[in-house]
mmCIF file of all heavy atoms in Angstrom:
data_model
loop_
_atom_site.group_PDB
_atom_site.id
_atom_site.type_symbol
_atom_site.label_atom_id
_atom_site.label_comp_id
_atom_site.label_asym_id
_atom_site.label_seq_id
_atom_site.Cartn_x
_atom_site.Cartn_y
_atom_site.Cartn_z
ATOM 1 N N ARG A 11 0.979 22.585 -0.127
ATOM 2 C CA ARG A 11 2.180 21.805 -0.396
ATOM 3 C C ARG A 11 3.358 22.217 0.469
ATOM 4 O O ARG A 11 4.230 21.407 0.767
ATOM 5 C CB ARG A 11 2.551 21.975 -1.873
ATOM 6 C CG ARG A 11 3.755 21.168 -2.260
ATOM 7 C CD ARG A 11 3.936 21.218 -3.743
ATOM 8 N NE ARG A 11 5.229 20.729 -4.140
ATOM 9 C CZ ARG A 11 5.647 20.685 -5.385
ATOM 10 N NH1 ARG A 11 4.838 21.086 -6.344
ATOM 11 N NH2 ARG A 11 6.833 20.233 -5.703
ATOM 12 N N ASN A 16 4.353 16.226 0.265
ATOM 13 C CA ASN A 16 4.673 16.426 -1.133
ATOM 14 C C ASN A 16 3.434 16.234 -2.016
ATOM 15 O O ASN A 16 2.357 15.871 -1.551
ATOM 16 C CB ASN A 16 5.793 15.480 -1.560
ATOM 17 C CG ASN A 16 5.462 14.022 -1.267
ATOM 18 O OD1 ASN A 16 4.294 13.658 -1.226
ATOM 19 N ND2 ASN A 16 6.473 13.228 -1.064
ATOM 20 N N THR A 17 3.633 16.491 -3.283
ATOM 21 C CA THR A 17 2.506 16.462 -4.201
ATOM 22 C C THR A 17 1.827 15.104 -4.226
ATOM 23 O O THR A 17 0.602 15.004 -4.269
ATOM 24 C CB THR A 17 2.978 16.821 -5.624
ATOM 25 O OG1 THR A 17 3.704 18.047 -5.570
ATOM 26 C CG2 THR A 17 1.796 16.970 -6.554
ATOM 27 N N VAL A 51 -0.807 19.327 -11.972
ATOM 28 C CA VAL A 51 0.483 18.708 -11.682
ATOM 29 C C VAL A 51 0.826 17.769 -12.830
ATOM 30 O O VAL A 51 0.034 17.590 -13.756
ATOM 31 C CB VAL A 51 0.442 17.927 -10.354
ATOM 32 C CG1 VAL A 51 0.139 18.855 -9.202
ATOM 33 C CG2 VAL A 51 -0.583 16.807 -10.422
ATOM 34 N N SER A 52 2.000 17.159 -12.750
ATOM 35 C CA SER A 52 2.368 16.247 -13.817
ATOM 36 C C SER A 52 1.765 14.869 -13.563
ATOM 37 O O SER A 52 1.147 14.612 -12.530
ATOM 38 C CB SER A 52 3.875 16.139 -13.926
ATOM 39 O OG SER A 52 4.366 15.243 -12.968
ATOM 40 N N ARG A 53 1.960 13.991 -14.503
ATOM 41 C CA ARG A 53 1.366 12.663 -14.363
ATOM 42 C C ARG A 53 2.040 11.845 -13.269
ATOM 43 O O ARG A 53 1.421 10.951 -12.684
ATOM 44 C CB ARG A 53 1.466 11.924 -15.697
ATOM 45 C CG ARG A 53 0.395 12.356 -16.673
ATOM 46 C CD ARG A 53 0.717 11.964 -18.091
ATOM 47 N NE ARG A 53 1.633 10.870 -18.200
ATOM 48 C CZ ARG A 53 2.633 10.832 -19.064
ATOM 49 N NH1 ARG A 53 2.834 11.846 -19.876
ATOM 50 N NH2 ARG A 53 3.431 9.795 -19.122
ATOM 51 N N THR A 54 3.292 12.146 -12.990
ATOM 52 C CA THR A 54 4.033 11.302 -12.052
ATOM 53 C C THR A 54 3.374 11.165 -10.677
ATOM 54 O O THR A 54 3.098 10.051 -10.239
ATOM 55 C CB THR A 54 5.479 11.788 -11.921
ATOM 56 O OG1 THR A 54 6.084 11.777 -13.222
ATOM 57 C CG2 THR A 54 6.270 10.916 -10.992
ATOM 58 N N GLN A 74 -2.673 -0.560 -20.109
ATOM 59 C CA GLN A 74 -3.021 -0.232 -21.491
ATOM 60 C C GLN A 74 -4.518 -0.100 -21.730
ATOM 61 O O GLN A 74 -4.954 0.091 -22.846
ATOM 62 C CB GLN A 74 -2.444 -1.248 -22.482
ATOM 63 C CG GLN A 74 -1.010 -0.994 -22.852
ATOM 64 C CD GLN A 74 -0.066 -1.283 -21.724
ATOM 65 O OE1 GLN A 74 -0.180 -2.320 -21.094
ATOM 66 N NE2 GLN A 74 0.851 -0.382 -21.451
ATOM 67 N N ARG A 240 -14.568 1.046 -21.603
ATOM 68 C CA ARG A 240 -14.128 2.436 -21.764
ATOM 69 C C ARG A 240 -15.319 3.334 -22.072
ATOM 70 O O ARG A 240 -16.192 2.979 -22.849
ATOM 71 C CB ARG A 240 -13.119 2.519 -22.901
ATOM 72 C CG ARG A 240 -12.584 3.915 -23.106
ATOM 73 C CD ARG A 240 -11.619 3.931 -24.250
ATOM 74 N NE ARG A 240 -10.431 3.114 -23.964
ATOM 75 C CZ ARG A 240 -9.482 2.882 -24.865
ATOM 76 N NH1 ARG A 240 -9.576 3.368 -26.070
ATOM 77 N NH2 ARG A 240 -8.445 2.166 -24.549
ATOM 78 N N SER A 242 -17.316 5.689 -23.871
ATOM 79 C CA SER A 242 -17.245 5.997 -25.287
ATOM 80 C C SER A 242 -17.701 7.414 -25.631
ATOM 81 O O SER A 242 -17.864 7.770 -26.784
ATOM 82 C CB SER A 242 -18.044 4.961 -26.065
ATOM 83 O OG SER A 242 -18.847 5.550 -27.012
ATOM 84 P P DT C 14 6.604 15.557 -5.576
ATOM 85 O OP1 DT C 14 5.791 16.591 -4.918
ATOM 86 O OP2 DT C 14 6.162 14.151 -5.582
ATOM 87 O "O5'" DT C 14 6.854 16.014 -7.081
ATOM 88 C "C5'" DT C 14 7.357 17.317 -7.337
ATOM 89 C "C4'" DT C 14 7.700 17.461 -8.797
ATOM 90 O "O4'" DT C 14 8.740 16.520 -9.152
ATOM 91 C "C3'" DT C 14 6.547 17.185 -9.778
ATOM 92 O "O3'" DT C 14 6.201 18.397 -10.406
ATOM 93 C "C2'" DT C 14 7.110 16.140 -10.752
ATOM 94 C "C1'" DT C 14 8.611 16.238 -10.516
ATOM 95 N N1 DT C 14 9.386 15.010 -10.794
ATOM 96 C C2 DT C 14 10.281 15.010 -11.834
ATOM 97 O O2 DT C 14 10.463 15.983 -12.555
ATOM 98 N N3 DT C 14 10.972 13.837 -12.013
ATOM 99 C C4 DT C 14 10.849 12.685 -11.264
ATOM 100 O O4 DT C 14 11.520 11.691 -11.525
ATOM 101 C C5 DT C 14 9.889 12.748 -10.197
ATOM 102 C C7 DT C 14 9.681 11.547 -9.318
ATOM 103 C C6 DT C 14 9.217 13.895 -10.009
ATOM 104 P P DA C 15 4.984 18.424 -11.454
ATOM 105 O OP1 DA C 15 4.407 19.774 -11.404
ATOM 106 O OP2 DA C 15 4.135 17.239 -11.257
ATOM 107 O "O5'" DA C 15 5.764 18.270 -12.838
ATOM 108 C "C5'" DA C 15 6.801 19.194 -13.145
ATOM 109 C "C4'" DA C 15 7.404 18.872 -14.510
ATOM 110 O "O4'" DA C 15 8.222 17.673 -14.395
ATOM 111 C "C3'" DA C 15 6.395 18.604 -15.628
ATOM 112 O "O3'" DA C 15 6.739 19.366 -16.776
ATOM 113 C "C2'" DA C 15 6.501 17.098 -15.880
ATOM 114 C "C1'" DA C 15 7.947 16.823 -15.491
ATOM 115 N N9 DA C 15 8.197 15.462 -15.033
ATOM 116 C C8 DA C 15 7.572 14.816 -14.004
ATOM 117 N N7 DA C 15 7.990 13.584 -13.811
ATOM 118 C C5 DA C 15 8.951 13.409 -14.788
ATOM 119 C C6 DA C 15 9.767 12.321 -15.119
ATOM 120 N N6 DA C 15 9.738 11.153 -14.463
ATOM 121 N N1 DA C 15 10.635 12.472 -16.162
ATOM 122 C C2 DA C 15 10.658 13.645 -16.812
ATOM 123 N N3 DA C 15 9.933 14.735 -16.589
ATOM 124 C C4 DA C 15 9.093 14.548 -15.552
ATOM 125 P P DT C 16 5.750 19.421 -18.034
ATOM 126 O OP1 DT C 16 5.880 20.765 -18.610
ATOM 127 O OP2 DT C 16 4.418 18.911 -17.633
ATOM 128 O "O5'" DT C 16 6.406 18.370 -19.032
ATOM 129 C "C5'" DT C 16 7.796 18.478 -19.305
ATOM 130 C "C4'" DT C 16 8.272 17.301 -20.120
ATOM 131 O "O4'" DT C 16 8.410 16.123 -19.280
ATOM 132 C "C3'" DT C 16 7.342 16.883 -21.271
ATOM 133 O "O3'" DT C 16 8.140 16.665 -22.417
ATOM 134 C "C2'" DT C 16 6.734 15.576 -20.758
ATOM 135 C "C1'" DT C 16 7.936 15.014 -20.012
ATOM 136 N N1 DT C 16 7.638 13.921 -19.072
ATOM 137 C C2 DT C 16 8.407 12.784 -19.108
ATOM 138 O O2 DT C 16 9.336 12.633 -19.871
ATOM 139 N N3 DT C 16 8.050 11.808 -18.201
ATOM 140 C C4 DT C 16 7.010 11.871 -17.296
ATOM 141 O O4 DT C 16 6.788 10.933 -16.544
ATOM 142 C C5 DT C 16 6.241 13.087 -17.319
ATOM 143 C C7 DT C 16 5.086 13.256 -16.376
ATOM 144 C C6 DT C 16 6.591 14.035 -18.193
ATOM 145 P P DG C 17 7.432 16.778 -23.892
ATOM 146 O OP1 DG C 17 7.830 18.052 -24.485
ATOM 147 O OP2 DG C 17 6.003 16.417 -23.762
ATOM 148 O "O5'" DG C 17 8.163 15.593 -24.663
ATOM 149 C "C5'" DG C 17 9.557 15.378 -24.455
ATOM 150 C "C4'" DG C 17 9.923 13.938 -24.770
ATOM 151 O "O4'" DG C 17 9.599 13.083 -23.636
ATOM 152 C "C3'" DG C 17 9.188 13.346 -25.973
ATOM 153 O "O3'" DG C 17 10.110 12.621 -26.777
ATOM 154 C "C2'" DG C 17 8.147 12.419 -25.354
ATOM 155 C "C1'" DG C 17 8.855 11.969 -24.074
ATOM 156 N N9 DG C 17 7.945 11.594 -23.002
ATOM 157 C C8 DG C 17 6.934 12.347 -22.479
ATOM 158 N N7 DG C 17 6.284 11.748 -21.510
ATOM 159 C C5 DG C 17 6.907 10.515 -21.402
ATOM 160 C C6 DG C 17 6.640 9.429 -20.538
ATOM 161 O O6 DG C 17 5.776 9.342 -19.662
ATOM 162 N N1 DG C 17 7.505 8.369 -20.759
ATOM 163 C C2 DG C 17 8.495 8.358 -21.706
ATOM 164 N N2 DG C 17 9.228 7.243 -21.776
ATOM 165 N N3 DG C 17 8.764 9.360 -22.518
ATOM 166 C C4 DG C 17 7.926 10.403 -22.317
ATOM 167 P P DG C 18 9.713 12.267 -28.272
ATOM 168 O OP1 DG C 18 10.869 12.610 -29.114
ATOM 169 O OP2 DG C 18 8.370 12.823 -28.583
ATOM 170 O "O5'" DG C 18 9.580 10.681 -28.215
ATOM 171 C "C5'" DG C 18 10.699 9.925 -27.767
ATOM 172 C "C4'" DG C 18 10.274 8.531 -27.362
ATOM 173 O "O4'" DG C 18 9.412 8.586 -26.193
ATOM 174 C "C3'" DG C 18 9.494 7.764 -28.435
ATOM 175 O "O3'" DG C 18 10.070 6.480 -28.561
ATOM 176 C "C2'" DG C 18 8.077 7.693 -27.858
ATOM 177 C "C1'" DG C 18 8.358 7.658 -26.370
ATOM 178 N N9 DG C 18 7.240 8.065 -25.524
ATOM 179 C C8 DG C 18 6.541 9.242 -25.573
ATOM 180 N N7 DG C 18 5.594 9.328 -24.676
ATOM 181 C C5 DG C 18 5.667 8.120 -24.000
ATOM 182 C C6 DG C 18 4.901 7.627 -22.927
ATOM 183 O O6 DG C 18 3.968 8.176 -22.337
ATOM 184 N N1 DG C 18 5.318 6.356 -22.539
ATOM 185 C C2 DG C 18 6.338 5.654 -23.123
ATOM 186 N N2 DG C 18 6.586 4.451 -22.619
ATOM 187 N N3 DG C 18 7.064 6.103 -24.127
ATOM 188 C C4 DG C 18 6.678 7.332 -24.511
ATOM 189 P P DA C 20 7.625 -0.528 -29.246
ATOM 190 O OP1 DA C 20 8.724 -1.470 -29.530
ATOM 191 O OP2 DA C 20 6.944 0.182 -30.346
ATOM 192 O "O5'" DA C 20 6.503 -1.330 -28.420
ATOM 193 C "C5'" DA C 20 6.831 -1.831 -27.135
ATOM 194 C "C4'" DA C 20 5.578 -2.323 -26.431
ATOM 195 O "O4'" DA C 20 4.751 -1.182 -26.076
ATOM 196 C "C3'" DA C 20 4.700 -3.238 -27.277
ATOM 197 O "O3'" DA C 20 4.212 -4.285 -26.451
ATOM 198 C "C2'" DA C 20 3.586 -2.317 -27.768
ATOM 199 C "C1'" DA C 20 3.451 -1.335 -26.610
ATOM 200 N N9 DA C 20 2.993 -0.001 -27.012
ATOM 201 C C8 DA C 20 3.396 0.730 -28.097
ATOM 202 N N7 DA C 20 2.818 1.908 -28.184
ATOM 203 C C5 DA C 20 1.980 1.957 -27.082
ATOM 204 C C6 DA C 20 1.095 2.935 -26.608
ATOM 205 N N6 DA C 20 0.896 4.105 -27.218
ATOM 206 N N1 DA C 20 0.405 2.661 -25.478
ATOM 207 C C2 DA C 20 0.610 1.485 -24.872
ATOM 208 N N3 DA C 20 1.418 0.483 -25.227
ATOM 209 C C4 DA C 20 2.082 0.788 -26.353
ATOM 210 P P DG C 21 3.354 -5.463 -27.102
ATOM 211 O OP1 DG C 21 3.727 -6.705 -26.387
ATOM 212 O OP2 DG C 21 3.438 -5.373 -28.570
ATOM 213 O "O5'" DG C 21 1.876 -5.066 -26.672
ATOM 214 C "C5'" DG C 21 1.605 -4.794 -25.298
ATOM 215 C "C4'" DG C 21 0.200 -4.251 -25.156
ATOM 216 O "O4'" DG C 21 0.157 -2.873 -25.628
ATOM 217 C "C3'" DG C 21 -0.851 -5.008 -25.976
ATOM 218 O "O3'" DG C 21 -1.956 -5.298 -25.155
ATOM 219 C "C2'" DG C 21 -1.232 -4.014 -27.085
ATOM 220 C "C1'" DG C 21 -1.014 -2.690 -26.375
ATOM 221 N N9 DG C 21 -0.794 -1.560 -27.278
ATOM 222 C C8 DG C 21 0.094 -1.487 -28.329
ATOM 223 N N7 DG C 21 0.062 -0.336 -28.954
ATOM 224 C C5 DG C 21 -0.898 0.390 -28.269
ATOM 225 C C6 DG C 21 -1.387 1.713 -28.494
ATOM 226 O O6 DG C 21 -1.025 2.525 -29.356
ATOM 227 N N1 DG C 21 -2.362 2.062 -27.574
ATOM 228 C C2 DG C 21 -2.825 1.245 -26.571
ATOM 229 N N2 DG C 21 -3.768 1.751 -25.785
ATOM 230 N N3 DG C 21 -2.389 0.007 -26.356
ATOM 231 C C4 DG C 21 -1.429 -0.349 -27.242
ATOM 232 P P DC C 22 -2.925 -6.502 -25.523
ATOM 233 O OP1 DC C 22 -2.760 -7.527 -24.480
ATOM 234 O OP2 DC C 22 -2.732 -6.825 -26.957
ATOM 235 O "O5'" DC C 22 -4.352 -5.841 -25.346
ATOM 236 C "C5'" DC C 22 -4.633 -5.077 -24.181
ATOM 237 C "C4'" DC C 22 -5.674 -4.039 -24.502
ATOM 238 O "O4'" DC C 22 -5.085 -3.020 -25.335
ATOM 239 C "C3'" DC C 22 -6.871 -4.584 -25.281
ATOM 240 O "O3'" DC C 22 -8.048 -4.479 -24.490
ATOM 241 C "C2'" DC C 22 -6.936 -3.738 -26.558
ATOM 242 C "C1'" DC C 22 -6.074 -2.531 -26.214
ATOM 243 N N1 DC C 22 -5.370 -1.946 -27.384
ATOM 244 C C2 DC C 22 -5.661 -0.643 -27.790
ATOM 245 O O2 DC C 22 -6.506 0.007 -27.181
ATOM 246 N N3 DC C 22 -5.013 -0.112 -28.855
ATOM 247 C C4 DC C 22 -4.097 -0.847 -29.506
ATOM 248 N N4 DC C 22 -3.478 -0.270 -30.547
ATOM 249 C C5 DC C 22 -3.776 -2.169 -29.106
ATOM 250 C C6 DC C 22 -4.433 -2.685 -28.054
ATOM 251 P P DG C 24 -14.646 -1.247 -25.825
ATOM 252 O OP1 DG C 24 -15.351 -0.748 -24.635
ATOM 253 O OP2 DG C 24 -14.778 -2.641 -26.265
ATOM 254 O "O5'" DG C 24 -15.022 -0.306 -27.054
ATOM 255 C "C5'" DG C 24 -14.565 1.022 -27.063
ATOM 256 C "C4'" DG C 24 -14.672 1.601 -28.453
ATOM 257 O "O4'" DG C 24 -13.553 1.144 -29.258
ATOM 258 C "C3'" DG C 24 -15.936 1.191 -29.229
ATOM 259 O "O3'" DG C 24 -16.458 2.324 -29.875
ATOM 260 C "C2'" DG C 24 -15.426 0.157 -30.214
ATOM 261 C "C1'" DG C 24 -14.033 0.690 -30.504
ATOM 262 N N9 DG C 24 -13.088 -0.283 -31.001
ATOM 263 C C8 DG C 24 -12.957 -1.601 -30.627
ATOM 264 N N7 DG C 24 -12.002 -2.233 -31.256
ATOM 265 C C5 DG C 24 -11.465 -1.276 -32.107
ATOM 266 C C6 DG C 24 -10.409 -1.380 -33.037
ATOM 267 O O6 DG C 24 -9.705 -2.356 -33.300
ATOM 268 N N1 DG C 24 -10.182 -0.165 -33.696
ATOM 269 C C2 DG C 24 -10.907 0.977 -33.483
ATOM 270 N N2 DG C 24 -10.552 2.037 -34.194
ATOM 271 N N3 DG C 24 -11.899 1.095 -32.616
ATOM 272 C C4 DG C 24 -12.130 -0.072 -31.970
ATOM 273 P P DA C 25 -18.002 2.353 -30.312
ATOM 274 O OP1 DA C 25 -18.714 3.129 -29.279
ATOM 275 O OP2 DA C 25 -18.446 0.983 -30.648
ATOM 276 O "O5'" DA C 25 -17.955 3.205 -31.657
ATOM 277 C "C5'" DA C 25 -17.107 4.346 -31.724
ATOM 278 C "C4'" DA C 25 -16.449 4.443 -33.085
ATOM 279 O "O4'" DA C 25 -15.503 3.360 -33.236
ATOM 280 C "C3'" DA C 25 -17.431 4.325 -34.270
ATOM 281 O "O3'" DA C 25 -17.207 5.394 -35.171
ATOM 282 C "C2'" DA C 25 -17.100 2.969 -34.895
ATOM 283 C "C1'" DA C 25 -15.623 2.825 -34.540
ATOM 284 N N9 DA C 25 -15.147 1.448 -34.510
ATOM 285 C C8 DA C 25 -15.637 0.430 -33.755
ATOM 286 N N7 DA C 25 -15.012 -0.719 -33.929
ATOM 287 C C5 DA C 25 -14.043 -0.422 -34.866
ATOM 288 C C6 DA C 25 -13.047 -1.206 -35.485
ATOM 289 N N6 DA C 25 -12.862 -2.506 -35.217
ATOM 290 N N1 DA C 25 -12.237 -0.599 -36.377
ATOM 291 C C2 DA C 25 -12.418 0.694 -36.633
ATOM 292 N N3 DA C 25 -13.316 1.534 -36.118
ATOM 293 C C4 DA C 25 -14.108 0.909 -35.230
#
Side-chain angles (χ1 to χ4, degrees):
Chain A
R11 182 172 167 181
N16 55 27
T17 308
V51 298
S52 81
R53 280 163 23 223
T54 302
Q74 277 71 47
R240 182 181 296 174
S242 134

